Amino acid sequence: GCIQIGQGTLVTDWANDTASVPVCFNYGKVTITAAPPADAVVFKVGTVNGQINETVCVDISVEKFSKIVGANVTFSWNFDQLEFIRTDNYNLEGLNASAFSNTNSTVKFLWTPQTTTSITRADGTKIFQICFRIKQCLPSIAVNITGTPDIVGEGNVQRASQGVGGSVTCIVSQVCSATCTLGTITNVSCNGGT
């Protein structure tokens, strides 16, 4: 048996214990970025899980999106791993499919509101989704923001900005079965069993 990292609560008393227990890892992705300037507009790509050939959608959210009149952001991924399907769930004035152009491995987002006033959204607001078909089953497939987002604020002032990438994780369905033989249980290591 082993300690499963990130698989629920593990109650353990380590007091006066000299034994060792192996640790099992489910590899994923950790993104470390420099702290943006205090007032920087941040675009974030979410994370999502799915199975091979399944269509999944990553959320694109914003922080410090205050008094904005335009945005130009490019998203990228490995075409051998993900296939672009569509953008969806638009949540900005004037935002629709025509604000996006794509190649096999990028989507460019170019938006200006259809109003004369600037737009503000609360931190964490999801402004749209990018949907993919999972082509390769890997523990973590990066969906990045290429370069620095180009954000224009009220008065046509260039705003400081930062992009934070996300990922798609392919999950393999695990068939779990237990076999009982003369009181011995085998093959219960899936689903956290020991």
Side-chain angles (χ1 to χ4, degrees):
C2 60
I3 298 173
Q4 295 283 332
I5 303 298
Q7 303 244 340
T9 305
L10 176 65
V11 179
T12 306
D13 180 6
W14 295 101
N16 300 318
D17 194 346
T18 58
S20 63
V21 176
V23 176
C24 300
F25 293 96
N26 289 330
Y27 294 101
K29 177 184 174 190
V30 175
T31 303
I32 300 173
T33 59
D39 63 342
V41 177
V42 179
F43 274 73
K44 288 186 175 182
V45 180
T47 59
V48 66
N49 297 334
Q51 296 182 357
I52 192 124
N53 290 321
E54 185 177 26
T55 297
V56 296
C57 300
V58 293
D59 294 325
I60 308 302
S61 62
V62 291
E63 293 178 5
K64 297 193 173 62
F65 197 87
S66 178
K67 299 180 180 178
I68 304 300
V69 298
N72 183 348
V73 184
T74 301
F75 304 86
S76 64
W77 59 90
N78 183 324
F79 174 72
D80 292 330
Q81 300 167 354
L82 297 173
E83 176 186 2
F84 173 77
I85 301 296
R86 68 182 180 278
T87 56
D88 211 345
N89 289 335
Y90 310 118
N91 185 20
L92 286 175
E93 286 77 353
L95 182 57
N96 57 47
S98 68
F100 300 89
S101 60
N102 68 287
T103 67
N104 286 338
S105 60
T106 65
V107 165
K108 187 168 191 166
F109 165 62
L110 181 58
W111 167 81
T112 54
Q114 302 293 318
T115 67
T116 57
T117 59
S118 60
I119 306 299
T120 297
R121 289 289 182 267
D123 285 357
T125 297
K126 298 170 188 174
I127 60 170
F128 63 90
Q129 292 180 321
I130 303 174
C131 301
F132 303 97
R133 180 180 68 85
I134 301 174
K135 295 169 67 174
Q136 287 185 9
C137 200
L138 300 170
S140 183
I141 304 169
V143 179
N144 294 311
I145 294 178
T146 306
T148 303
D150 183 13
I151 310 300
V152 179
E154 203 169 58
N156 287 328
V157 174
Q158 190 71 33
R159 294 280 306 272
S161 64
Q162 181 182 38
V164 178
S167 65
V168 173
T169 299
C170 183
I171 303 297
V172 177
S173 292
Q174 187 175 23
V175 176
C176 183
S177 62
T179 304
C180 296
T181 307
L182 298 173
T184 303
I185 299 175
T186 59
N187 193 19
V188 296
S189 61
C190 54
N191 295 325
T194 55

